[in-house]
Amino acid sequence: MKKVNIGILGIQGDVEEHVASVESAFREITMDGVVSIVKYPEEIDSINGLIIPGGESTSIGKLSNNDDFQSSIKKKITQGMPVLGTCAGLIFLSNHIIQNSSNTSQKLLGSLDIETERNAFGRQHESFQSEFPIPKFGIDKFMGIFIRAPRIRSIGSNVEILAKLNDDIVAVKQGNIIGTCFHPELSNTVIFHKYLIELVRESL
Amino acid sequence: MISLVGHQNPLLSRQISGNIDSKTGTILLKRGFAHMLKHGVIMDVTDVNQAQIAEEAGAVAVMVLDKLPIEVRQSGGVARTAGMKIIKDVVNNVSIPVMAKCRIGHISEAVVLENSGVDMIDESEVLTPADESSHIWKWDFTTPFVDGAKNLGQALRRIEEGASMMRTKGEPGTGNVVEAVRHMRAMNQDIAKITYFYNQQDKQELFRISKELNTSYELVVETGRLGRLPVVNFAAGGITTPADAALMMKLGCDGVFVGSGIYKSSDPLERALAIVLATTFHDKVEVVAEAQEMIDEKKSMVGLGDNLDFKMQDRGI
């Protein structure tokens, strides 16, 4: 059987935190997997799972705006490669963004059928951490870290809600795609990373 | 993962309305914000137009100033925090994070900036220091701070005071990268030494180093455990070309600040794009070469040599 090989999109953002989280998830489930940073088109082939980290979605979109790179990522996601997008990664995966007057045109992968609004919980001064349940993982209190976080304004009919904070949808799943408004890589549990690995294992 | 070692003011994690378990201004949120900027470029801007060029070029944040560092040098006099109007204009007209500078030790300028909506405050030696004996006690703020350092002792003292991010001081406004290189090398050498004693578990030596650096034993141990600064560390001060940015990334910086280098050149948009490319793909020779081709050395800011009347890096303690 093929080894689980999780790639972390290494263009910009908290790449190393995701590498550490995946390594820690592999240790917890005693799996001999591989985690690699992916920055160039030729590195996409060997991975069978992908994480798009937090960072600035405009920068990540612009810098990965190499036709080969974005189209091969998109193709692999369409073919069923499991992917996790956190914060900026969620925006990059989404297919629609509510444009504020200040937004420059922004590159999106468009794989996830949701509408997002950038920084909709406020600026850094309003960034917050808060606990909420994740029924799918059987967790009552998950500490979500929301840093200039996006809001999910609407979801398509094929999108499953994984978590809500009060009335806001903050984590979603659409088949092989998982997206969070918060940063699971900064929490003290790697439950989302373990879940991604599980999806990858099922897909092999 | 994010290092959580450091003093934390318990009053700081205030609860916000609606959800009893929500907190703002925690060490995780403040240091976490800086982690999101990694592998990116932060550009100095003096107006909305420059800020939009920076955003268009792929900058991860902009730093609003009244004057660029080289203009501060040329104009002389006292340099203070930027005007509220220009800060608010930039905040309202770009979607990326906005930072602004306050004078070293000027608590009230920092309070004003926190209220202006900026995402991070730079306690900066580019401005004229307000306090010669103390920096700001940054744990008291919800907004995270970045501070400059020319050696490991300064960096750890700033982190002790609550800085969520560090940068080299370099020598701002000179177009000369040599001082940033000097500061980064000095930090790397001292961190390597601490890491060695940490691996030996030589606690007496780590304690001696903490006294030598005028910082806490706890932070020295954490630096040894991580083998790097406990917070994100960017290059700043004199970065002018894509190759300069790539050089600083190779030395282990997490990202790059560019000040006068972009808007004091005669090819700002190309240069901004090229520096962003070279920072992200600093490990690929072809991309750095391509970035360097995007700019024209004849259009680089002329810069200043090493016979400076005064050095901004000597400000702060």
Side-chain angles (χ1 to χ4, degrees):
Chain A
M1 196 169 123
K2 268 167 79 180
K3 254 190 186 179
V4 170
N5 184 345
I6 309 278
I8 316 291
L9 191 68
I11 301 289
Q12 193 274 316
D14 68 336
V15 178
E16 293 74 12
E17 291 67 23
H18 274 292
V19 172
S21 297
V22 172
E23 282 170 350
S24 147
F26 281 143
R27 270 196 306 276
E28 281 186 25
I29 56 173
T30 57
M31 178 192 267
D32 178 27
V34 182
V35 54
S36 46
I37 294 174
V38 172
K39 275 166 85 171
Y40 302 101
E42 62 271 21
E43 294 165 340
I44 295 284
D45 261 359
S46 56
I47 58 165
N48 43 37
L50 177 69
I51 296 175
I52 307 176
E56 274 310 307
S57 57
T58 46
S59 308
I60 295 174
K62 285 206 170 80
L63 286 160
S64 60
N65 191 14
N66 166 317
D67 288 344
D68 288 354
F69 197 50
Q70 276 191 2
S71 63
S72 45
I73 292 175
K74 200 171 171 173
K75 195 169 136 205
K76 284 199 81 154
I77 295 174
T78 311
Q79 288 168 347
M81 175 178 70
V83 56
L84 165 66
T86 63
C87 195
L90 168 91
I91 298 168
F92 192 47
L93 280 170
S94 71
N95 65 0
H96 194 71
I97 183 167
I98 295 175
Q99 293 289 345
N100 298 322
S101 57
S102 62
N103 283 148
T104 55
S105 64
Q106 203 173 333
K107 266 280 187 195
L108 304 174
L109 277 179
S111 308
L112 178 58
D113 187 15
I114 60 167
E115 185 177 49
T116 60
E117 184 179 350
R118 292 179 61 199
N119 316 131
F121 286 99
R123 305 186 67 85
Q124 174 58 18
H125 191 264
E126 284 74 55
S127 290
F128 64 98
Q129 55 190 67
S130 196
E131 288 180 332
F132 48 84
I134 306 179
K136 190 165 184 106
F137 301 153
I139 293 178
D140 291 339
K141 281 185 172 183
F142 177 87
M143 176 61 81
I145 314 293
F146 295 79
I147 298 177
R148 285 173 48 95
R151 268 194 155 106
I152 297 173
R153 289 301 187 189
S154 66
I155 59 171
S157 54
N158 52 345
V159 177
E160 177 189 349
I161 297 170
L162 291 184
K164 280 179 103 173
L165 171 65
N166 303 326
D167 293 332
D168 281 299
I169 302 168
V170 291
V172 292
K173 177 175 184 286
Q174 175 192 314
N176 54 320
I177 306 169
I178 315 161
T180 64
C181 297
F182 49 90
H183 293 281
E185 73 280 14
L186 303 185
S187 294
N188 50 9
T189 155
V190 290
I191 190 87
F192 278 90
H193 297 82
K194 285 201 274 195
Y195 186 54
L196 179 74
I197 292 169
E198 194 182 305
L199 292 182
V200 173
R201 190 150 52 174
E202 283 167 9
S203 75
L204 295 180
Chain B
M1 300 295 182
I2 290 186
S3 169
L4 297 178
V5 169
H7 170 98
Q8 191 176 10
N9 184 342
L11 290 175
L12 198 68
S13 321
R14 65 189 161 85
Q15 292 174 343
I16 55 176
S17 60
N19 194 318
I20 193 129
D21 295 323
S22 286
K23 289 175 178 163
T24 62
T26 64
I27 188 170
L28 196 51
L29 292 165
K30 289 160 75 176
R31 288 188 183 172
F33 168 74
H35 279 247
M36 299 309 147
L37 304 172
K38 287 196 302 178
H39 313 283
V41 180
I42 300 165
M43 300 182 190
D44 279 0
V45 300
T46 56
D47 60 40
V48 170
N49 181 41
Q50 290 181 351
Q52 285 171 335
I53 291 176
E55 181 177 41
E56 192 57 43
V60 291
V62 290
M63 173 79 69
V64 185
L65 293 107
D66 179 50
K67 300 185 199 71
L68 293 171
I70 191 166
E71 295 164 339
V72 171
R73 282 184 178 284
Q74 288 162 346
S75 72
V78 180
R80 312 179 181 89
T81 194
M84 285 303 113
K85 185 179 179 303
I86 167 68
I87 292 174
K88 288 190 172 164
D89 276 354
V90 173
V91 163
N92 291 331
N93 284 287
V94 295
S95 66
I96 55 178
V98 177
M99 307 182 178
K101 291 181 191 288
C102 73
R103 286 180 263 178
I104 291 174
H106 205 312
I107 303 162
S108 295
E109 275 188 355
V111 168
V112 168
L113 289 179
E114 180 160 65
N115 272 281
S116 73
V118 299
D119 299 284
M120 186 172 243
I121 300 168
D122 183 4
E123 186 179 24
S124 177
E125 67 282 2
V126 169
L127 307 184
T128 312
D131 189 330
E132 292 184 327
S133 61
S134 302
H135 286 249
I136 294 170
W137 188 250
K138 292 162 275 281
W139 296 110
D140 287 345
F141 290 78
T142 302
T143 303
F145 276 74
V146 55
D147 269 76
K150 56 180 186 177
N151 54 46
L152 186 62
Q154 290 189 344
L156 294 182
R157 290 195 292 278
R158 297 296 83 79
I159 295 169
E160 190 102 52
E161 294 160 355
S164 302
M165 176 175 174
M166 292 304 307
R167 52 172 177 74
T168 60
K169 283 184 172 169
E171 193 51 43
T174 59
N176 190 349
V177 77
V178 67
E179 296 299 319
V181 170
R182 190 201 309 275
H183 298 162
M184 195 57 196
R185 280 211 187 279
M187 275 191 252
N188 284 345
Q189 283 159 8
D190 280 351
I191 290 171
K193 199 167 75 181
I194 289 174
T195 307
Y196 171 80
F197 290 119
Y198 178 85
N199 290 334
Q200 300 289 316
Q201 281 297 297
D202 188 341
K203 293 172 184 165
Q204 186 63 35
E205 185 60 21
L206 293 172
F207 180 57
R208 192 195 61 74
I209 292 173
S210 75
K211 286 185 290 180
E212 190 181 285
L213 298 181
N214 276 319
T215 188
S216 72
Y217 172 71
E218 202 184 13
L219 265 182
V220 170
V221 170
E222 180 69 349
T223 302
R225 182 181 76 82
L226 297 167
R228 56 156 294 145
L229 276 190
V231 300
V232 166
N233 187 25
F234 269 44
I239 289 118
T240 311
T241 67
D244 286 350
L247 170 65
M248 295 313 297
M249 294 302 283
K250 274 202 193 313
L251 286 173
C253 293
D254 295 313
V256 174
F257 281 92
V258 190
S260 317
I262 292 176
Y263 294 107
K264 281 291 157 183
S265 70
S266 17
D267 52 359
L269 179 59
E270 294 86 345
R271 194 169 293 253
L273 281 166
I275 291 178
V276 169
L277 271 179
T279 302
T280 298
F281 302 109
H282 64 93
D283 53 345
K284 192 132 185 160
V285 179
E286 294 89 327
V287 183
V288 178
E290 185 194 319
Q292 195 69 18
E293 264 180 50
M294 289 164 67
I295 63 147
D296 182 349
E297 178 53 20
K298 292 198 170 20
K299 293 180 177 168
S300 293
M301 67 182 267
V302 177
L304 305 166
D306 40 17
N307 300 318
L308 298 173
D309 288 343
F310 87 100
K311 289 189 170 173
M312 289 174 172
Q313 62 179 279
D314 294 335
R315 291 166 161 176
I317 48 165

